[in-house]
PDB file of all heavy atoms in Angstrom:
ATOM      1  N   LEU A 256     -14.583   9.965  21.724  1.00 97.00           N
ATOM      2  CA  LEU A 256     -14.024  10.919  20.728  1.00 97.00           C
ATOM      3  C   LEU A 256     -12.702  11.273  20.962  1.00 97.00           C
ATOM      4  O   LEU A 256     -11.947  11.734  19.979  1.00 97.00           O
ATOM      5  CB  LEU A 256     -14.971  12.095  20.766  1.00 97.00           C
ATOM      6  CG  LEU A 256     -16.245  12.013  19.971  1.00 97.00           C
ATOM      7  CD1 LEU A 256     -17.293  13.205  20.303  1.00 97.00           C
ATOM      8  CD2 LEU A 256     -16.109  11.848  18.530  1.00 97.00           C
ATOM      9  N   GLU A 257     -12.151  11.327  22.141  1.00 97.00           N
ATOM     10  CA  GLU A 257     -10.809  11.845  22.476  1.00 97.00           C
ATOM     11  C   GLU A 257      -9.816  11.029  21.531  1.00 97.00           C
ATOM     12  O   GLU A 257      -8.674  11.501  21.127  1.00 97.00           O
ATOM     13  CB  GLU A 257     -10.463  11.670  23.967  1.00 97.00           C
ATOM     14  CG  GLU A 257      -9.078  12.125  24.254  1.00 97.00           C
ATOM     15  CD  GLU A 257      -8.918  13.682  24.157  1.00 97.00           C
ATOM     16  OE1 GLU A 257      -9.868  14.483  24.215  1.00 97.00           O
ATOM     17  OE2 GLU A 257      -7.827  13.997  23.722  1.00 97.00           O
ATOM     18  N   LYS A 258     -10.141   9.709  21.221  1.00 97.00           N
ATOM     19  CA  LYS A 258      -9.192   8.986  20.405  1.00 97.00           C
ATOM     20  C   LYS A 258      -9.083   9.531  19.017  1.00 97.00           C
ATOM     21  O   LYS A 258      -7.830   9.512  18.519  1.00 97.00           O
ATOM     22  CB  LYS A 258      -9.764   7.489  20.193  1.00 97.00           C
ATOM     23  CG  LYS A 258      -9.581   6.760  21.445  1.00 97.00           C
ATOM     24  CD  LYS A 258      -8.144   6.385  21.608  1.00 97.00           C
ATOM     25  CE  LYS A 258      -7.989   5.453  22.840  1.00 97.00           C
ATOM     26  NZ  LYS A 258      -6.601   5.319  23.177  1.00 97.00           N
ATOM     27  N   ILE A 259     -10.006  10.182  18.376  1.00 97.00           N
ATOM     28  CA  ILE A 259      -9.786  10.830  17.110  1.00 97.00           C
ATOM     29  C   ILE A 259      -8.986  11.999  17.220  1.00 97.00           C
ATOM     30  O   ILE A 259      -8.235  12.338  16.327  1.00 97.00           O
ATOM     31  CB  ILE A 259     -11.169  11.116  16.428  1.00 97.00           C
ATOM     32  CG1 ILE A 259     -10.934  11.110  14.879  1.00 97.00           C
ATOM     33  CG2 ILE A 259     -11.726  12.359  16.815  1.00 97.00           C
ATOM     34  CD1 ILE A 259     -10.503   9.895  14.263  1.00 97.00           C
ATOM     35  N   VAL A 260      -8.964  12.688  18.411  1.00 98.00           N
ATOM     36  CA  VAL A 260      -8.062  13.859  18.558  1.00 98.00           C
ATOM     37  C   VAL A 260      -6.737  13.459  18.727  1.00 98.00           C
ATOM     38  O   VAL A 260      -5.717  14.095  18.241  1.00 98.00           O
ATOM     39  CB  VAL A 260      -8.519  14.596  19.929  1.00 98.00           C
ATOM     40  CG1 VAL A 260      -7.634  15.727  20.164  1.00 98.00           C
ATOM     41  CG2 VAL A 260     -10.000  15.078  19.710  1.00 98.00           C
ATOM     42  N   GLU A 261      -6.341  12.189  19.163  1.00 98.00           N
ATOM     43  CA  GLU A 261      -4.969  11.713  19.163  1.00 98.00           C
ATOM     44  C   GLU A 261      -4.578  11.500  17.747  1.00 98.00           C
ATOM     45  O   GLU A 261      -3.308  11.828  17.474  1.00 98.00           O
ATOM     46  CB  GLU A 261      -5.001  10.380  19.953  1.00 98.00           C
ATOM     47  CG  GLU A 261      -5.218  10.547  21.444  1.00 98.00           C
ATOM     48  CD  GLU A 261      -5.375   9.106  22.134  1.00 98.00           C
ATOM     49  OE1 GLU A 261      -4.948   8.160  21.638  1.00 98.00           O
ATOM     50  OE2 GLU A 261      -5.940   9.267  23.327  1.00 98.00           O
ATOM     51  N   HIS A 262      -5.340  10.968  16.882  1.00 98.00           N
ATOM     52  CA  HIS A 262      -5.010  10.907  15.388  1.00 98.00           C
ATOM     53  C   HIS A 262      -4.704  12.254  14.795  1.00 98.00           C
ATOM     54  O   HIS A 262      -3.733  12.394  14.091  1.00 98.00           O
ATOM     55  CB  HIS A 262      -6.000  10.072  14.645  1.00 98.00           C
ATOM     56  CG  HIS A 262      -6.012   8.527  15.022  1.00 98.00           C
ATOM     57  ND1 HIS A 262      -5.213   7.666  14.357  1.00 98.00           N
ATOM     58  CD2 HIS A 262      -6.675   7.885  15.911  1.00 98.00           C
ATOM     59  CE1 HIS A 262      -5.412   6.429  14.847  1.00 98.00           C
ATOM     60  NE2 HIS A 262      -6.357   6.570  15.902  1.00 98.00           N
ATOM     61  N   ILE A 263      -5.565  13.099  15.053  1.00 98.00           N
ATOM     62  CA  ILE A 263      -5.516  14.531  14.483  1.00 98.00           C
ATOM     63  C   ILE A 263      -4.188  15.077  14.998  1.00 98.00           C
ATOM     64  O   ILE A 263      -3.400  15.611  14.235  1.00 98.00           O
ATOM     65  CB  ILE A 263      -6.729  15.397  14.890  1.00 98.00           C
ATOM     66  CG1 ILE A 263      -7.877  14.933  14.159  1.00 98.00           C
ATOM     67  CG2 ILE A 263      -6.452  16.807  14.560  1.00 98.00           C
ATOM     68  CD1 ILE A 263      -9.198  15.504  14.655  1.00 98.00           C
ATOM     69  N   ASP A 264      -3.970  15.058  16.325  1.00 98.00           N
ATOM     70  CA  ASP A 264      -2.675  15.561  16.929  1.00 98.00           C
ATOM     71  C   ASP A 264      -1.528  14.926  16.328  1.00 98.00           C
ATOM     72  O   ASP A 264      -0.331  15.694  16.107  1.00 98.00           O
ATOM     73  CB  ASP A 264      -2.794  15.386  18.462  1.00 98.00           C
ATOM     74  CG  ASP A 264      -1.625  16.129  19.129  1.00 98.00           C
ATOM     75  OD1 ASP A 264      -1.483  17.360  18.980  1.00 98.00           O
ATOM     76  OD2 ASP A 264      -0.690  15.357  19.624  1.00 98.00           O
ATOM     77  N   HIS A 265      -1.463  13.686  16.138  1.00 98.00           N
ATOM     78  CA  HIS A 265      -0.367  12.969  15.528  1.00 98.00           C
ATOM     79  C   HIS A 265       0.026  13.567  14.187  1.00 98.00           C
ATOM     80  O   HIS A 265       1.215  13.911  13.829  1.00 98.00           O
ATOM     81  CB  HIS A 265      -0.520  11.503  15.371  1.00 98.00           C
ATOM     82  CG  HIS A 265       0.598  10.739  15.025  1.00 98.00           C
ATOM     83  ND1 HIS A 265       1.590  10.359  15.870  1.00 98.00           N
ATOM     84  CD2 HIS A 265       0.997  10.132  13.741  1.00 98.00           C
ATOM     85  CE1 HIS A 265       2.672   9.717  15.190  1.00 98.00           C
ATOM     86  NE2 HIS A 265       2.235   9.583  13.937  1.00 98.00           N
ATOM     87  N   ILE A 266      -0.986  13.838  13.279  1.00 98.00           N
ATOM     88  CA  ILE A 266      -0.754  14.493  12.042  1.00 98.00           C
ATOM     89  C   ILE A 266      -0.172  15.822  12.190  1.00 98.00           C
ATOM     90  O   ILE A 266       0.746  16.180  11.499  1.00 98.00           O
ATOM     91  CB  ILE A 266      -1.945  14.464  11.187  1.00 98.00           C
ATOM     92  CG1 ILE A 266      -2.274  12.961  10.803  1.00 98.00           C
ATOM     93  CG2 ILE A 266      -1.751  15.310   9.968  1.00 98.00           C
ATOM     94  CD1 ILE A 266      -3.592  12.774  10.177  1.00 98.00           C
ATOM     95  N   CYS A 267      -0.838  16.619  13.166  1.00 98.00           N
ATOM     96  CA  CYS A 267      -0.291  18.032  13.454  1.00 98.00           C
ATOM     97  C   CYS A 267       1.186  17.973  13.907  1.00 98.00           C
ATOM     98  O   CYS A 267       1.973  18.923  13.402  1.00 98.00           O
ATOM     99  CB  CYS A 267      -1.174  18.622  14.362  1.00 98.00           C
ATOM    100  SG  CYS A 267      -2.838  19.057  13.896  1.00 98.00           S
TER     101      CYS A 267
END
Side-chain angles (χ1 to χ4, degrees):
L256 280 170
E257 184 64 36
K258 284 291 180 188
I259 204 62
V260 176
E261 293 173 15
H262 287 271
I263 291 167
D264 184 65
H265 187 78
I266 292 168
C267 293

